[in-house]
Amino acid sequence: MTVLKKWLLPVILCVLLLFALGFLLLKSGQETAKLDDVTRKQAPGNFVQLDQGMVHYKLYGPDTAPLLVLIHGGGATGIEVWQYNIPYLLSKGYRILAYDLYGRGYSDRPNTTYDLNLYRRQLVQLLDTLHVQGTFDILAMSMGAPIGLDYAARHPDRVNHIVLLGPAASGDLQPSKLLRIPVVADVVMTAYWYPRSVENQRKEFVNQPLFNSYSQRLKYFMNFSGYKRLTRSSWMNMLNQSQLYLLKEIAPGKIFLLYGKQDPFFPAEKLSAYKTLYPTLAVHAIDSAGHMTHYEQPQIVNELMWTYLQANR
């Protein structure tokens, strides 16, 4: 027993040391890219400096055309999710502003709280900096939905109509309380979440070959430094809070909601909460589509969005 006690502490220390070394080795292979001037020069589109960092955006079409502002969700690829929609909408005579949210795409990943207030300021500052005037329509998907709704509620004179795609505005995500403990959160995000993060998004797609292609871009953007930090912050300060109250602050007849019938995050049962708060909500379910309806079924979704916006001009 005395011999056992003598060796117990050294064994425990060795195990802890091996664990720490393994953790550090694993962490060193994650988020190895930096979003710097070299990277930005290789990126398509333009950049503008706002108060929280550089923001990547693309502005298409003549300034005399009706404007659409596109707000993507929490996915790492940013505005690339609109690649099957922008050409169609341009062909219909629209001007389009698409931008990367902070922490996504080529926009900066500031060391701050990723909440609705951050994204509210980003959108307001972007429109002001680009001297966008007049009214416009908003297309917003997933986590972008509360950002679009918030802007419309605060600026009713600027927004004509809103199209929501698989909105994530009900605060259903309830992250583990362990993520509130910094050291534990670092271990969980590094050793458990990050290695599985790409594959975990497979369930969002019906079209698996399409996901295989999309996942390559996910890996590219997730490798930029700060992605784990900002993802955890989004969980703890944005996606776990309901913003459905915003629906009551928007005038009737201005919102069109589309969702995929196979969307794991937006089952049809959720519609009742939206319709209760917004009785005039127009809704259309898309078959053979998961969370990114506009990406998996662009022909159908493009036609539906254009028809709705055209009818309500």
Side-chain angles (χ1 to χ4, degrees), residues 152-268:
R154 290 171 175 268
H155 306 273
D157 58 322
R158 298 293 307 275
V159 179
N160 297 318
H161 292 87
I162 312 168
V163 176
L164 302 178
L165 301 161
S170 51
D172 298 316
L173 179 67
Q174 295 300 317
S176 171
K177 293 181 179 179
L178 292 174
L179 294 178
R180 297 186 182 278
I181 307 171
V183 175
V184 175
D186 192 20
V187 172
V188 171
M189 297 297 287
T190 298
Y192 181 79
W193 177 78
Y194 192 87
R196 297 167 174 79
S197 56
V198 172
E199 194 61 27
N200 282 345
Q201 296 182 58
R202 182 176 293 278
K203 64 180 178 293
E204 300 178 20
F205 279 70
V206 174
N207 186 332
Q208 293 302 300
L210 183 63
F211 173 78
N212 292 336
S213 174
Y214 173 73
S215 67
Q216 299 307 306
R217 299 303 291 163
L218 277 177
K219 294 174 183 177
Y220 172 75
F221 286 105
M222 287 171 55
N223 195 41
F224 286 119
S225 178
Y227 188 67
K228 288 180 290 185
R229 167 179 51 80
L230 67 90
T231 297
R232 181 168 72 96
S233 184
S234 298
W235 292 347
M236 308 299 287
N237 301 286
M238 181 80 175
L239 291 170
N240 66 335
Q241 300 179 25
S242 176
Q243 291 102 6
L244 291 182
Y245 65 90
L246 293 167
L247 292 168
K248 298 176 67 175
E249 301 177 18
I250 297 174
K254 299 186 72 170
I255 305 177
F256 181 31
L257 190 156
L258 297 97
Y259 71 97
K261 290 184 179 180
Q262 289 77 35
D263 187 344
F265 304 129
F266 198 93

Side-chain angles (χ1 to χ4, degrees), residues 42-216:
Q42 299 171 352
N46 301 288
F47 291 86
V48 62
Q49 178 72 47
L50 302 183
D51 72 353
Q52 290 292 324
M54 297 292 287
V55 170
H56 175 241
Y57 73 95
K58 292 183 179 181
L59 187 57
Y60 309 81
D63 55 13
T64 55
L67 178 66
L68 284 174
V69 175
L70 277 52
I71 311 175
H72 66 80
T77 60
I79 62 176
E80 291 190 5
V81 300
W82 302 113
Q83 61 182 291
Y84 302 129
N85 315 109
I86 289 175
Y88 175 89
L89 295 169
L90 286 173
S91 74
K92 294 299 183 180
Y94 285 101
R95 187 186 192 205
I96 296 174
L97 171 60
Y99 71 101
D100 286 333
L101 297 174
Y102 284 127
R104 278 79 182 182
Y106 290 105
S107 287
D108 275 344
R109 285 116 170 91
N111 189 11
T112 187
T113 300
Y114 286 76
D115 59 7
L116 184 57
N117 185 52
L118 172 71
Y119 293 120
R120 173 189 302 135
R121 297 199 314 271
Q122 182 188 16
L123 179 54
V124 170
Q125 290 177 11
L126 179 63
L127 293 172
D128 288 346
T129 303
L130 297 181
H131 306 292
V132 174
Q133 299 177 349
T135 62
F136 52 85
D137 296 303
I138 292 177
L139 307 185
M141 65 157 291
S142 190
M143 192 182 80
I147 302 170
L149 290 172
D150 178 77
Y151 187 89
R154 290 171 175 268
H155 306 273
D157 58 322
R158 298 293 307 275
V159 179
N160 297 318
H161 292 87
I162 312 168
V163 176
L164 302 178
L165 301 161
S170 51
D172 298 316
L173 179 67
Q174 295 300 317
S176 171
K177 293 181 179 179
L178 292 174
L179 294 178
R180 297 186 182 278
I181 307 171
V183 175
V184 175
D186 192 20
V187 172
V188 171
M189 297 297 287
T190 298
Y192 181 79
W193 177 78
Y194 192 87
R196 297 167 174 79
S197 56
V198 172
E199 194 61 27
N200 282 345
Q201 296 182 58
R202 182 176 293 278
K203 64 180 178 293
E204 300 178 20
F205 279 70
V206 174
N207 186 332
Q208 293 302 300
L210 183 63
F211 173 78
N212 292 336
S213 174
Y214 173 73
S215 67
Q216 299 307 306

Side-chain angles (χ1 to χ4, degrees), residues 19-32:
F19 175 81
L21 290 174
F23 172 75
L24 292 174
L25 180 63
L26 179 63
K27 190 172 183 177
S28 68
Q30 300 174 354
E31 300 185 352
T32 58

